[in-house]
Amino acid sequence: PLSSPWIPGRLKFMPGNLLDTQTASQRSFGIDYDKNYFLKDGKPFRYISGSIHYSRVPRYYWKDRLLKMKMAGLDAIQTYVPWNYHEFKPGLANEIGLLVILRAGPYICAEWDMGGLPAWLLERESIILRSSDLDYLAAVERWMGVLLPKMKPYLYQNGGPVIMVQVENEYGSYFACDYDYLRYLQKLFHHHLGDEVVLFTTDGASKHYLRCGALQGLYATVDFAPAAFLTQRGSEPRGPLVNSEFYTGWLDHWGHPHSVVPTNTIAKTLDEILSRGANVNMYMFIGGTNFAYWNGANMPYASQPTSYDYDAPLSEAGDLTDKYFALREVIGRYNHLPEDPIPPTTPKYAYGRVTMEKLGTVAELLGDLSPSGPIRSIYPLTFVQLQQYFGFVLYRTTFPKNCSEPTPLFSPLNGVHDRAYVSVDGVPQGILERGKSNMINITGKAGANLDMLVENMGRVNYGRYNNDFKGLVSNLSLGQVTLIDWEIYPLDIDSVVGHGLNSKGGESKTSGGNPSRYAAPAFYTGRFSIPSGIPDLPQDTYIKFPGWTKGQIWINGFNLGRYWPVRGPQVTLFVPSNILVSSSPNNITVLELEQSPCGIQKCAIEFVDKPDINATLFPGRAQLFCFWYHLCSFHVRVILLTLRGCF
Ligand SMILES: *[C@@H]1O[C@H](CO)[C@@H](O)[C@H](O)[C@H]1NC(C)=O
Ligand SMILES: *[C@@H]1O[C@H](CO)[C@@H](O)[C@H](O)[C@H]1NC(C)=O
Ligand SMILES: *[C@@H]1O[C@H](CO)[C@@H](O)[C@H](O)[C@H]1NC(C)=O
Ligand SMILES: *[C@@H]1O[C@H](CO)[C@@H](O)[C@H](O)[C@H]1NC(C)=O
Ligand SMILES: *[C@@H]1O[C@H](CO)[C@@H](O)[C@H](O)[C@H]1NC(C)=O
């Protein structure tokens, strides 16, 4: 962990003058166990809150999104601190007058890579995450020793907006059930934040979850529907009713239909919750975007797309939706709605088609992409062993013998995490994919180069499969032979793209066996200028990928995330205006992993003014809906699947 990418300097905070210091001495926040409500400054208090993850919304738009939440009548926002993201800015909410319910981790789930835990924790392979494992606790103690003291001035009683702090997250759904660990966190949080702070836990609404997730002294709250409050009462016979995650929508996975939860159902349930005087947090109020490589995954392995729209009241791009106005109306029955105007939906602009040109294949550009050169190893090494935690690594070896007949290249232990793009002497052969395809037939002469570009598609964010190693995590065989003597190239793609990747020229080979399906993974580039003479440009936009298959895209060095229109349901990617420039052309870089439309004719990507995250590309609809994943909670599946008429 000492080689971790943790850079304390990157934490940015608002200046202290946002704190309400004069009145700090009169400010208090606590729980009245006799009367079953929270006490704020000594008076009964109930909060109506919404989730926003600051790591999923460009900093440029934080204020716009928070104002929209304020105008919906919310008292508070709830946010996670993704330990592996390392950036936090709580002052802004105070300026706008929203309270903050802080979910400080260390584990957050959240459909976020490894549930927010840093991958470097896996350097000791046998580490038991989220338990009293000594290496794990040492890392937690170090991180919380940085984070929590910075949060302390922002506690409500100290003049800041933070009324409550969550310890861990849905711990009752985790196998470890380690009370010593929860007690340790409780002590650590009190040590840094003081004894007055209201600490809480959140768990799925069943006795089973609360058994391992709740601890005396940590206020136990639940996720879900109104009936779930009965379960909360099992753990907290007195005190305010709290639903910490009332789901306004639901998450997506690549290859599954986009989740939609009807507005009237959500509005009706919210009304029921509020009419009981309960506290509620709407998860999500705005979902946002999994930029770069930040998405997580569930088991059996299925990763989440770039959009985290969530069918929430504010769209991925912060747009006001029918759901927003419906929930605002419900909230208006209980809270005074602010009279200021609601910030409008930001305009979107269709910049049109941009012609793309090929720069070269990953193999051709290897010298630039892997400045450190290869690491040699008899057996394959994982990303963590290479100390490269995200993105792509190229694994190269040679054919140990002549394979003139199609010979199976396969991963007996399903150890390709998560997708490998296979080429022989630069000619693409096919793809191995975790949990889906463990074997392809290849041919080649003894000594031919066998390249496998391995993509980390996002670490499992939930459950016992959190220890999610990436790369080739077990040996591969070619026919009867175990492949050895690897040259492993860590790829520093993001910084190379940031500095400008140059063309290597030369025509690449196309697939021998199946020319139409695959091309070797390659980089493409294009530029476009913001039109002049039109007011208020640049504006937000969406990118469409006509004829492209799967890959990663950057604009001006900003990693927008993964695209995979052939698998869906997400077809366009959100581009926030703050990454675009008007003063000079904007640079686009695409890494296409499978097949681009760039052949003899010109090929392009296209900027459009409407999102498409709802493509219906899938047969066997009912079967896919009923996919029985280990999601962050059990009950939501029941509710949502019922809503969709699954049973
Ligand atoms: C592979 O086949 C070539 C002929 O195509 C032959 O010259 C070579 O000796 C063979 N190598 C091995 C290791 O069998
Ligand atoms: C691989 O080739 C063998 C015959 O050599 C064939 O039986 C098998 O179906 C092929 N597998 C794939 C995945 O193409
Ligand atoms: C590959 O196999 C060798 C020999 O059996 C073993 O020592 C090694 O741990 C294996 N490597 C991986 C990554 O599974
Ligand atoms: C685009 O790339 C060119 C050439 O590398 C560079 O000079 C320019 O600064 C880049 N533009 C932006 C907006 O990053
Ligand atoms: C997604 O598609 C379904 C079916 O066509 C439609 O009912 C739903 O409104 C769409 N949702 C969004 C967010 O576009």
Side-chain angles (χ1 to χ4, degrees):
L2 291 175
S3 60
S4 78
W6 157 234
I7 309 161
R10 279 189 60 204
L11 281 172
K12 295 216 181 68
F13 294 92
M14 294 297 285
N17 62 10
L18 287 172
L19 299 180
D20 200 346
T21 42
Q22 279 123 353
T23 55
S25 55
Q26 291 113 52
R27 289 160 69 99
S28 65
F29 192 85
I31 296 174
D32 186 326
Y33 285 98
D34 291 334
K35 305 216 180 72
N36 300 335
Y37 42 59
F38 288 111
L39 278 174
K40 183 166 160 280
D41 305 329
K43 294 191 197 77
F45 174 74
R46 177 263 289 279
Y47 67 74
I48 304 175
S49 160
S51 281
I52 174 170
H53 297 158
Y54 59 89
S55 53
R56 285 183 160 128
V57 176
R59 179 182 294 251
Y60 175 83
Y61 277 128
W62 285 354
K63 190 163 183 178
D64 174 79
R65 309 300 190 251
L66 292 175
L67 274 173
K68 285 170 177 161
M69 294 173 81
K70 175 83 178 166
M71 292 308 142
L74 301 185
D75 308 293
I77 59 161
Q78 195 187 73
T79 194
Y80 276 127
V81 180
W83 181 4
N84 58 5
Y85 187 80
H86 308 306
E87 218 174 23
F88 195 59
K89 190 186 179 189
L92 202 53
N94 211 17
E95 178 190 307
I96 288 170
L98 285 162
L99 299 167
V100 173
I101 298 155
L102 190 70
R103 309 178 83 175
Y107 168 80
I108 62 170
C109 194
E111 289 74 65
W112 190 259
D113 185 81
M114 213 168 139
L117 298 174
W120 48 255
L121 289 170
L122 301 176
E123 273 170 22
R124 206 195 90 223
E125 267 181 50
S126 59
I127 195 167
I128 302 173
L129 301 169
R130 306 175 66 196
S131 78
S132 304
D133 181 302
L134 292 179
D135 288 336
Y136 175 72
L137 290 191
V140 168
E141 187 164 317
R142 211 168 44 119
W143 161 238
M144 289 299 167
V146 174
L147 175 71
L148 296 180
K150 300 209 190 241
M151 296 300 105
K152 191 176 182 187
Y154 297 94
L155 292 178
Y156 186 78
Q157 51 273 30
N158 299 334
V162 178
I163 52 173
M164 299 165 63
V165 179
Q166 182 184 307
V167 176
E168 250 285 343
N169 182 50
E170 297 182 349
Y171 190 62
S173 317
Y174 192 58
F175 70 91
C177 195
D178 181 344
Y179 294 111
D180 288 340
Y181 167 55
L182 280 189
R183 261 183 230 114
Y184 167 87
L185 288 180
Q186 180 181 27
K187 257 179 93 176
L188 185 67
F189 276 52
H190 276 305
H191 170 74
H192 289 298
L193 299 176
D195 288 335
E196 267 173 72
V197 65
V198 175
L199 298 180
F200 73 105
T201 58
T202 301
D203 277 285
S206 94
K207 272 195 191 137
H208 170 73
Y209 294 131
L210 283 161
R211 189 174 69 82
C212 293
L215 189 72
Q216 177 114 49
L218 300 176
Y219 194 67
T221 74
V222 293
D223 301 342
F224 294 104
F229 292 132
L230 292 175
T231 320
Q232 189 196 359
R233 276 282 172 256
S235 250
E236 295 292 351
R238 306 220 54 95
L241 296 172
V242 182
N243 182 341
S244 286
E245 291 194 4
F246 168 51
Y247 298 97
T248 59
W250 193 236
L251 58 132
D252 285 345
H253 294 103
W254 289 116
H256 299 250
H258 174 53
S259 304
V260 178
V261 180
T263 293
N264 48 13
T265 317
I266 299 299
K268 192 165 157 279
T269 309
L270 179 64
D271 199 20
E272 284 170 37
I273 292 172
L274 295 181
S275 67
R276 287 165 165 251
N279 298 269
V280 67
N281 173 65
M282 286 167 261
Y283 188 102
M284 299 295 300
F285 205 84
I286 170 169
T289 311
N290 296 312
F291 292 114
Y293 310 111
W294 285 115
N295 67 275
N298 282 300
M299 288 298 282
Y301 191 80
S303 61
Q304 294 118 18
T306 303
S307 172
Y308 195 63
D309 179 273
Y310 218 83
D311 198 27
L314 292 170
S315 77
E316 176 181 12
D319 295 356
L320 305 166
T321 65
D322 292 347
K323 198 176 272 181
Y324 176 91
F325 289 105
L327 297 187
R328 184 172 185 269
E329 197 213 301
V330 173
I331 294 167
R333 294 176 208 157
Y334 302 90
N335 262 12
H336 172 73
L337 294 175
E339 266 140 44
D340 300 318
I342 303 172
T345 288
T346 52
K348 312 295 185 294
Y349 194 84
Y351 300 99
R353 287 168 64 85
V354 178
T355 302
M356 301 296 287
E357 264 172 45
K358 188 167 178 177
L359 285 172
T361 63
V362 169
E364 288 164 349
L365 297 164
L366 204 49
D368 291 342
L369 297 172
S370 185
S372 60
I375 291 161
R376 282 164 228 276
S377 170
I378 298 180
Y379 302 114
L381 302 173
T382 64
F383 277 37
V384 165
Q385 287 169 321
L386 300 165
Q387 299 195 337
Q388 178 187 323
Y389 304 109
F390 294 97
F392 303 82
V393 168
L394 182 75
Y395 292 78
R396 174 173 284 176
T397 185
T398 50
F399 273 60
K401 56 174 187 170
N402 285 332
C403 298
S404 49
E405 297 299 317
T407 308
L409 169 71
F410 82 111
S411 174
L413 300 176
N414 192 16
V416 174
H417 288 191
D418 304 296
R419 284 190 121 226
Y421 306 89
V422 182
S423 312
V424 174
D425 282 339
V427 180
Q429 305 289 319
I431 295 167
L432 297 174
E433 183 172 348
R434 178 177 182 180
K436 291 216 162 63
S437 155
N438 277 334
M439 200 264 272
I440 54 170
N441 286 330
I442 59 175
T443 56
K445 289 211 163 65
N449 258 340
L450 172 63
D451 276 5
M452 304 183 62
L453 180 68
V454 179
E455 176 181 16
N456 166 358
M457 285 283 295
R459 291 185 184 80
V460 172
N461 56 265
Y462 176 76
R464 64 168 66 235
Y465 298 98
N466 250 189
N467 296 44
D468 191 3
F469 294 88
K470 295 301 183 183
L472 298 182
V473 306
S474 59
N475 289 307
L476 284 174
S477 330
L478 183 60
Q480 306 299 316
V481 186
T482 297
L483 290 169
I484 54 164
D485 292 335
W486 293 88
E487 283 185 0
I488 307 170
Y489 292 81
L491 302 182
D492 195 11
I493 296 179
D494 285 80
S495 72
V496 174
V497 167
H499 290 104
L501 189 55
N502 296 315
S503 171
K504 282 287 174 281
E507 278 307 293
S508 310
K509 299 156 200 159
T510 49
S511 163
N514 203 345
S516 61
R517 265 187 90 188
Y518 302 112
F523 283 91
Y524 299 81
T525 186
R527 357 174 80 192
F528 74 104
S529 296
I530 305 296
S532 54
I534 301 171
D536 302 328
L537 290 187
Q539 291 171 354
D540 296 346
T541 183
Y542 300 92
I543 320 177
K544 214 169 146 176
F545 298 86
W548 300 77
T549 313
K550 182 185 195 309
Q552 198 87 24
I553 181 164
W554 294 257
I555 295 186
N556 296 330
F558 181 86
N559 188 336
L560 281 165
R562 306 172 210 272
Y563 66 88
W564 203 354
V566 297
R567 196 164 283 189
Q570 180 174 13
V571 167
T572 60
L573 257 58
F574 173 56
V575 183
S577 66
N578 58 291
I579 67 164
L580 302 176
V581 296
S582 309
S583 50
S584 65
N586 293 279
N587 300 322
I588 305 169
T589 310
V590 169
L591 168 58
E592 168 59 53
L593 299 162
E594 294 186 24
Q595 183 62 278
S596 80
C598 311
I600 308 136
Q601 88 277 35
K602 287 199 165 174
C603 57
I605 59 155
E606 190 176 357
F607 290 98
V608 296
D609 56 9
K610 298 235 166 17
D612 182 1
I613 56 166
N614 191 13
T616 46
L617 305 160
F618 323 100
R621 190 168 165 272
Q623 188 197 338
L624 289 170
F625 269 135
C626 296
F627 224 61
W628 203 246
Y629 277 140
H630 302 276
L631 295 177
C632 292
S633 187
F634 170 83
H635 295 261
V636 79
R637 291 184 309 214
V638 178
I639 290 163
L640 288 163
L641 294 175
T642 309
L643 287 175
R644 293 167 178 159
C646 190
F647 296 122

